[in-house]
Amino acid sequence: MKAHLIAAGALLFSAAAAAQSATPVGDPMLHLSTVQLYATPPGAKGTGIEDIPTLTVFPPFGEPNGTAVIVAPGGAYRGLAGDLEGREVADWFATRGVTVFVLRYRLGETYPLPIPLMDAQRAVQYVRAHAASYKVEPRKIGFIGFSAGGHLGGVLETETGTVRGGPEDAIAKQSPRPDFVILGYPAFSMFDLAQKDDLSYCPSLHIPAATCTQAYLKRYTPALHITAATPPTFIYHTADDATIPVEDSVNYFLALKRAGVPAELHVFEKGVHGTGLGGRQPSLRLWPALLEQWLIAGGFLPH
């Protein structure tokens, strides 16, 4: 599954090139490339593919419209659903003129939060720093995440600072906050303060109790940190999701509304967890169309 995030034929940039240039290097037939987010990943525990956060770049079909979207697949912070919540999503946006960047972020027991947040912030900073090279408007950079990636999107959009320990370079001078955020069945319940089930973040990743304090869990509960500065947000969920309760998405939407943040929530009656764009369940195929209209209304896609 992890290998799906890097398209066949795409070449990995050298570390120096990834840190200094946005010029894609990859398969000219597929028009895909992969760039590293850091010359040397902060806190890296190895040199394997799981230790090196990257962006796989999907150029738009036709002329770019100036909007960029970073895609964060889910996988319970234990893996990445690279096809359903990565490649398919990238193609959907690319057909609408959007320049897409699928994020491979570090995760699991080896890289607990805040490392995934550090990588997500760096991804936004990277795209913003190289906006001109990708023909992207620096104030039209969005982030879409599914399940755990949706939780990460919520943390990203409510974070007020930058995770410490990253490189101090030109990229780091850019704002790490996206301009709009899309959350697909976000896994907010993984950070339930009661931590009761197997999908709870700390037990599932064997994070020690000394680290997994109430303060730690609250730190990564996005609904507690929403302000008027939180970006416009679109949320999609299904009412009978047996894995991630829809109530958390509803409560998140209500918190956004109370803070005066432009937000839209769509809850469908039926649909198991992990539906992606909904193609496998005909009743859910409407939600990407609703998303497209929301993006147009917000000025992130052309009419």
Side-chain angles (χ1 to χ4, degrees), residues 45 77-78 107-113 201 204-208:
K45 303 296 177 62
Y77 282 111
R78 288 178 288 194
L107 41 69
E109 184 177 352
T110 306
Y111 297 111
L113 283 159
Y201 185 76
S204 66
L205 298 184
H206 308 291
I207 297 175

Side-chain angles (χ1 to χ4, degrees), residues 265-279:
L265 167 67
H266 292 279
V267 177
F268 289 75
E269 179 184 4
K270 300 291 184 181
V272 298
H273 186 73
T275 54
L277 295 178

Side-chain angles (χ1 to χ4, degrees), residues 15-251:
Q20 300 297 329
S21 173
T23 304
V25 176
D27 190 320
M29 179 186 71
L30 297 176
H31 304 290
L32 299 179
S33 61
T34 298
V35 296
Q36 292 181 211
L37 287 178
Y38 311 93
T40 302
K45 303 296 177 62
T47 58
I49 196 169
E50 69 278 3
D51 302 297
I52 303 173
T54 60
L55 290 172
T56 296
V57 187
F58 289 71
F61 299 168
E63 288 297 314
N65 60 25
T67 297
V69 169
I70 297 163
V71 183
Y77 282 111
R78 288 178 288 194
L80 296 172
D83 282 338
L84 178 68
E85 297 168 353
R87 188 185 66 193
E88 292 180 17
V89 178
D91 285 341
W92 185 89
F93 277 104
T95 61
R96 288 155 178 82
V98 177
T99 304
V100 190
F101 302 81
V102 178
L103 173 63
R104 176 191 291 278
Y105 54 96
R106 291 172 290 175
L107 41 69
E109 184 177 352
T110 306
Y111 297 111
L113 283 159
I115 294 298
L117 174 59
M118 174 187 282
D119 293 345
Q121 288 186 328
R122 181 72 173 184
V124 176
Q125 292 173 320
Y126 178 89
V127 175
R128 190 161 279 136
H130 296 97
S133 298
Y134 290 111
K135 297 182 180 180
V136 166
E137 296 185 31
R139 296 303 165 196
K140 289 188 177 182
I141 298 173
F143 189 96
I144 180 171
F146 295 83
S147 195
H151 169 266
L152 182 60
V155 175
L156 175 67
E157 72 170 342
T158 56
E159 177 62 34
T160 57
T162 305
V163 176
R164 296 180 180 180
E168 296 182 4
D169 55 13
I171 293 174
K173 295 179 181 179
Q174 300 293 325
S175 170
R177 178 170 280 184
D179 300 299
F180 62 93
V181 171
I182 304 155
L183 306 177
Y185 38 90
F188 295 139
S189 62
M190 291 187 74
F191 287 78
D192 186 328
L193 298 182
Q195 290 284 291
K196 295 177 180 178
D197 56 48
D198 292 339
L199 274 178
S200 296
Y201 185 76
C202 291
S204 66
L205 298 184
H206 308 291
I207 297 175
T211 298
C212 189
T213 63
Q214 291 290 296
Y216 181 86
L217 295 174
K218 289 180 178 179
R219 168 73 180 77
Y220 300 113
T221 301
L224 300 178
H225 307 290
I226 292 170
T227 69
T230 301
T233 304
F234 181 102
I235 309 169
Y236 155 69
H237 215 126
T238 54
D240 66 346
D241 186 331
T243 302
I244 300 297
V246 69
E247 286 80 1
D248 285 346
S249 285
V250 173
N251 291 333

